[in-house]
Amino acid sequence: MKHFEYISKHDDRVKLAYKNINAMLNELHKRIKSFTFTTEIVGSYKKNLITYDRKSNIGFDFDYNIVLNQNADKYSPKKIKESIFMVQFKELANKYGFDKIENSTRVITLKKVNKEESKITYSCDFAIVRNYEDDNKNKYQEYIRFNKNTNRYLWYEQSYGVYDLPKRIDWIKHENNSRVWDELKNKYLHKKNINNDTKLHSRQILSMAVNDICNKYGYNEVDCFENEEKQQTSRSIHMDMICINGLKMIQASRPIKIDSKIFR
């Protein structure tokens, strides 16, 4: 049994960590001159649903999107993740107090460790994404993921759950009374505390909790994020293509009109 609890984003520990990460990202922007990009914090921080385990070595975490602009299209996904971002993060990690850096299937993870207590103070995950539109001006997003079957980095379409989750959370928070929001928070903590699947990440657990609450209180347009993840298929798009199957790349800074909170 784990012992997760909430920690406010206004807590001094979180604010200090957030400041440190953003200072590192500012330097990252100055170092990478091959193309331009933006960074945005997403996930639990946005909704003030940050958790940590007070009795274990699991600290709180941050999720960021590194959003590539169109001038990155001439680089392959492998070069972007391994040769550019991994190299730069490795050079910056020690300067900003990070002890571990990992290159996983979807993200790059940096961890700050309290060595005296052998405990992870906090960590941050960086997903590399790009936005595009189809011929009907519908906006979409895809991310770099390592495909173990082909041993290649590919561009994958985000699942429907990624697009829909912020809308469902807002529905719970703003279209219902505060008791329903508190019920979601309690359910999310409970699911995190009983979870023994190391492959099931916080974002998926949150989506499952949101799904339960939406079903209970009548939100009918809900699909479980975990199922959507399994159903998604790779677009297998290379970075050196500007126009892919009729889909045109757009700059990441261009407004997303589907929902102002869609990728937050």
Side-chain angles (χ1 to χ4, degrees), residues 117-163:
E117 300 180 7
S118 298
K119 182 177 181 178
I120 298 171
T121 306
Y122 65 88
S123 62
C124 42
D125 292 337
F126 298 95
I128 302 171
V129 306
R130 65 181 182 185
N131 300 332
Y132 67 93
E133 63 181 11
D134 62 17
D135 290 337
N136 295 320
K137 305 299 182 182
N138 296 312
K139 274 69 176 180
Y140 300 96
Q141 189 178 84
E142 52 195 8
Y143 64 96
I144 293 178
R145 177 173 182 153
F146 183 72
N147 186 311
K148 295 180 180 179
N149 293 327
T150 62
N151 198 34
R152 297 169 60 199
Y153 286 98
L154 302 170
W155 285 104
Y156 280 74
E157 178 69 35
Q158 294 281 22
S159 69
Y160 178 73
V162 171
Y163 299 121

Side-chain angles (χ1 to χ4, degrees), residues 13 26 37 54 57 99 113 116 137 155 179 189 228 233-234 240 258:
R13 291 168 291 178
N26 286 337
F37 61 94
R54 67 184 183 278
N57 69 336
D99 304 279
V113 179
E116 293 182 359
K137 305 299 182 182
W155 285 104
R179 179 180 61 80
L189 273 189
E228 289 292 334
T233 56
S234 170
D240 59 357
I258 296 177

Side-chain angles (χ1 to χ4, degrees), residues 70-254:
Q70 188 174 352
N71 55 355
D73 59 9
K74 63 182 179 180
Y75 298 98
S76 70
K78 178 179 174 67
K79 182 174 180 62
I80 290 170
K81 192 174 184 187
E82 288 193 347
S83 302
I84 297 177
F85 283 106
M86 275 296 293
V87 168
Q88 293 299 329
F89 275 127
K90 285 179 180 178
E91 293 181 2
L92 291 170
N94 288 336
K95 179 178 179 180
Y96 290 93
F98 292 101
D99 304 279
K100 295 182 179 180
I101 179 168
E102 301 170 356
N103 182 11
S104 62
T105 303
R106 291 181 57 129
V107 298
I108 296 171
T109 302
L110 277 69
K111 297 179 179 180
K112 184 176 178 64
V113 179
N114 183 329
K115 295 180 179 178
E116 293 182 359
E117 300 180 7
S118 298
K119 182 177 181 178
I120 298 171
T121 306
Y122 65 88
S123 62
C124 42
D125 292 337
F126 298 95
I128 302 171
V129 306
R130 65 181 182 185
N131 300 332
Y132 67 93
E133 63 181 11
D134 62 17
D135 290 337
N136 295 320
K137 305 299 182 182
N138 296 312
K139 274 69 176 180
Y140 300 96
Q141 189 178 84
E142 52 195 8
Y143 64 96
I144 293 178
R145 177 173 182 153
F146 183 72
N147 186 311
K148 295 180 180 179
N149 293 327
T150 62
N151 198 34
R152 297 169 60 199
Y153 286 98
L154 302 170
W155 285 104
Y156 280 74
E157 178 69 35
Q158 294 281 22
S159 69
Y160 178 73
V162 171
Y163 299 121
D164 194 51
L165 182 59
K167 293 187 290 184
R168 289 185 281 155
I169 292 176
D170 285 345
W171 180 83
I172 292 172
K173 189 169 187 178
H174 300 298
E175 300 298 326
N176 296 278
N177 58 45
S178 59
R179 179 180 61 80
V180 180
W181 178 249
D182 290 338
E183 186 175 344
L184 169 64
K185 294 175 67 176
N186 291 334
K187 183 172 285 291
Y188 176 42
L189 273 189
H190 175 69
K191 285 183 176 292
K192 289 203 72 172
N193 283 326
I194 64 173
N195 174 51
N196 292 315
D197 185 353
T198 57
K199 295 182 179 180
L200 198 60
H201 299 288
S202 294
R203 184 179 64 176
Q204 292 167 292
I205 297 173
L206 174 59
S207 184
M208 292 161 64
V210 168
N211 186 62
D212 289 349
I213 297 299
C214 285
N215 284 337
K216 180 177 179 179
Y217 290 98
Y219 185 90
N220 297 319
E221 299 176 14
V222 179
D223 290 311
C224 181
F225 178 86
E226 183 180 18
N227 291 334
E228 289 292 334
E229 279 277 297
K230 293 178 181 178
Q231 293 171 6
Q232 72 171 339
T233 56
S234 170
R235 297 185 58 83
S236 303
I237 301 172
H238 293 284
M239 198 62 172
D240 59 357
M241 299 176 68
I242 297 177
C243 183
I244 309 146
N245 295 332
L247 303 176
K248 299 178 180 178
M249 289 290 297
I250 60 172
Q251 290 192 358
S253 57
R254 183 170 178 174

